[in-house]
Amino acid sequence: MPDLSIKPLNPRLLPAATGNYTHGVQVDGAGRLVFVSGQVPWGDDQGKIPDSFEDQCRMVWRNILAVLAEAGLGVANLVKVTTYLSDRQYRALNSKIREEILGEHAPALTIIICDIYAEEWLLEIEAVAAS
């Protein structure tokens, strides 16, 4: 199998992608795709859902990384991330935490402001990874 190549696609026709995302991603040499279901802040060891957005966001990313690890993958394998926020007030903090988690890696990204399934959940994130 050829080596995996994840190439950002940022056409000059579009405004420059700011933050850690790219307008598109081309994946060559992928042997498999991993689809991560929407992850939510299910609760800590005691079943308590954190009150703060920051704690919920970090818990959701912990869940995503756990699913990726189960498949032998990591952040560098992410090709698409979709984030659902319960309120636009969380945009900046969501971006800050995502940048901490992803580092220099920039997958394709969509952020949607919407009503979340459970009222106490402030976000949900789903992802696609390739290897």
Side-chain angles (χ1 to χ4, degrees):
M1 179 173 77
D3 290 332
L4 176 69
S5 169
I6 300 174
K7 176 185 170 188
L9 300 173
N10 289 303
R12 282 185 257 164
L13 176 67
L14 301 176
T18 58
N20 62 325
Y21 83 96
T22 186
H23 287 291
V25 174
Q26 177 178 318
V27 180
D28 294 312
R32 70 188 162 131
L33 296 173
V34 174
F35 296 85
V36 181
S37 292
Q39 296 297 306
V40 296
W42 290 106
D44 60 16
D45 295 341
Q46 291 78 40
K48 182 179 182 311
I49 296 170
D51 292 326
S52 77
F53 178 82
E54 180 172 2
D55 290 342
Q56 285 196 22
C57 190
R58 291 186 187 285
M59 181 179 281
V60 167
W61 275 107
R62 179 202 68 189
N63 297 346
I64 291 167
L65 295 175
V67 173
L68 292 176
E70 186 73 15
L73 304 176
V75 166
N77 298 98
L78 287 170
V79 295
K80 175 70 169 116
V81 174
T82 303
T83 302
Y84 302 88
L85 298 176
S86 65
D87 194 299
R88 69 183 62 251
Q89 71 175 316
Y90 303 125
R91 291 178 306 173
L93 187 52
N94 174 66
S95 294
K96 176 183 175 284
I97 293 168
R98 185 183 64 250
E99 289 178 18
E100 287 176 19
I101 302 293
L102 299 183
E104 296 295 315
H105 186 63
L109 175 69
T110 302
I111 300 172
I112 301 167
I113 310 299
C114 64
D115 197 16
I116 307 290
Y117 181 79
E119 289 180 19
E120 61 271 22
W121 298 340
L122 303 176
L123 77 159
E124 182 171 349
I125 302 174
E126 63 183 17
V128 178
S131 68

